[in-house]
Structure formats: C-alpha cells, structure tokens
Amino acid sequence: MTLRDMPVLAHPARTTPGTTRSARRRRVGRRVYAGSVVAGLAACAVAVVQLASAPSDQVDGSVAATAGTAPVAATGLDPGLQQRFDDARAAAAADGVELRITSGWRTADEQQRLVDEAVERYGSVGEARRWVLPPESSEHVAGTAIDVGPTEGAYWLQQHGADFGLCQTYANEVWHYEAVTEPGGVCPPMHDDASHGW
C-alpha cells in the first residue's frame, strides 16, 4: 500500500454538523484573544510584584534615602552637596515632607544612554537637548547635581532650597538641584532648560 492508497480519515471538527470553517476560525480567534489577554494580565501582575519587592532605597539606579531612615550617601556625589541635601532632608522631614534623591551621580555611559533615549522619546535632537545634557557638560556626571522627589518634596525644596544652598537650575525641571549658592544665599536665575549646556 502506498501513501496514495491510504484512506483519508475525517477530522472530527470538519464533520460536526452545523460547523462552518468561519465559525471555527471565530472560536479559535476568540480563544487566542482570550489567551493573549490572560497572558498580558499575568505579565502586569509579575511587573507589579517585581516593583513591590524592589528595594525601596533604590530609585533610577542611584541610592536614595527612605523616609524614616538615616540618610544614605549617593555614590559619587560631591560631599558638600550631599551634606546640604542631608540637612534639607532633615528639615523637610520635620515639616512632615518626604524628600529623597531619585538620581544623583551618573557615569558618562549612563548619561549618554539618557541622551540617546531622550532623542528617541522626543523625536528630535533639538527637543531632547531641552531635557538632558551630554556627558561632558552634565552636572550629574560631575557629581554636583541631584534630582529629588517625590513631587511634594521637590516643591518643598523649591521653596526652601536656598536656605541650604540648593537651587533649582532649570525652569522646566522642578526636580533638578545644584549647590550654586551659599546656604542662606540667593539662587541665581534659572535657565529655561538644559539646552544652554550644549
């Protein structure tokens, strides 16, 4: 007996009365869609669990202090900047406001990655330059700039930063601070954005 001589066995789905090919496709399509939804929800659940279990003192790759704990030095920061931030953090905590470093010192490679991501995100080099400086002119790479959070803490520092010698240096970045005046001094006028440093 050759392959041609073998009888063809009927597939059960093809012989079910009232079942059309398009109806089967719709059922399969619904199952695939439902499976995709379930898989997507499962992926979201895994992401939430990973975020919830991440160390609370690590934000954006830099070490940050958590409310209710002693200040933790952000690696690579200028010690004077670190001390000014620690003093501001203690005063904010006394006012019932959480203040933490969300990004401090960065390597040149990390800064370049941020530049590349900004170009992709904003769609042009010109727009990206408003938000991020190249490694050679970034105060983060020099260890003389910090980004702070949460938002309430950033606004607190906007009002009280000069008392500690910390100033918001870019009008479009309420979170970015540098030690550009003496404690109790007057902050210089802000730049509109980071584009001045290119």
Side-chain angles (χ1 to χ4, degrees):
M1 179 184 288
T2 66
L3 189 58
R4 279 185 225 192
D5 299 328
M6 293 185 74
V8 177
L9 299 174
H11 189 280
R14 292 185 184 139
T15 59
T16 305
T19 302
T20 65
R21 181 175 279 174
S22 62
R24 283 192 305 276
R25 283 189 192 139
R26 283 193 299 275
R27 275 199 309 274
V28 170
R30 284 192 295 266
R31 287 181 187 141
V32 170
Y33 175 76
S36 299
V37 169
V38 169
L41 291 172
C44 288
V46 167
V48 167
V49 168
Q50 288 172 338
L51 284 173
S53 63
S56 61
D57 64 344
Q58 187 139 8
V59 182
D60 292 339
S62 63
V63 178
T66 308
T69 63
V72 177
T75 305
L77 279 186
D78 174 81
L81 173 61
Q82 181 69 55
Q83 185 59 56
R84 290 179 187 201
F85 172 77
D86 290 345
D87 294 345
R89 179 182 176 273
D95 285 349
V97 176
E98 179 185 4
L99 180 63
R100 66 179 182 266
I101 295 174
T102 59
S103 185
W105 175 79
R106 300 175 189 147
T107 67
D109 288 343
E110 288 170 329
Q111 188 68 25
Q112 185 59 54
R113 179 182 51 79
L114 292 175
V115 170
D116 297 341
E117 288 173 357
V119 170
E120 185 175 323
R121 177 179 182 183
Y122 296 110
S124 74
V125 173
E127 185 63 19
R129 287 180 175 179
R130 295 186 59 233
W131 299 98
V132 64
L133 288 169
E136 58 273 9
S137 59
S138 169
E139 296 296 332
H140 283 284
V141 174
T144 57
I146 54 174
D147 292 344
V148 301
T151 304
E152 181 184 6
Y155 285 132
W156 183 94
L157 195 57
Q158 190 179 52
Q159 293 176 2
H160 304 283
D163 297 340
F164 306 94
L166 297 172
C167 300
Q168 178 184 345
T169 52
Y170 302 120
N172 67 334
E173 295 185 18
V174 68
W175 56 85
H176 182 94
Y177 287 83
E178 299 175 25
V180 293
T181 191
E182 291 302 314
V186 176
C187 289
M190 287 183 259
H191 299 286
D192 291 335
D193 53 42
S195 60
H196 78 92
W198 285 84

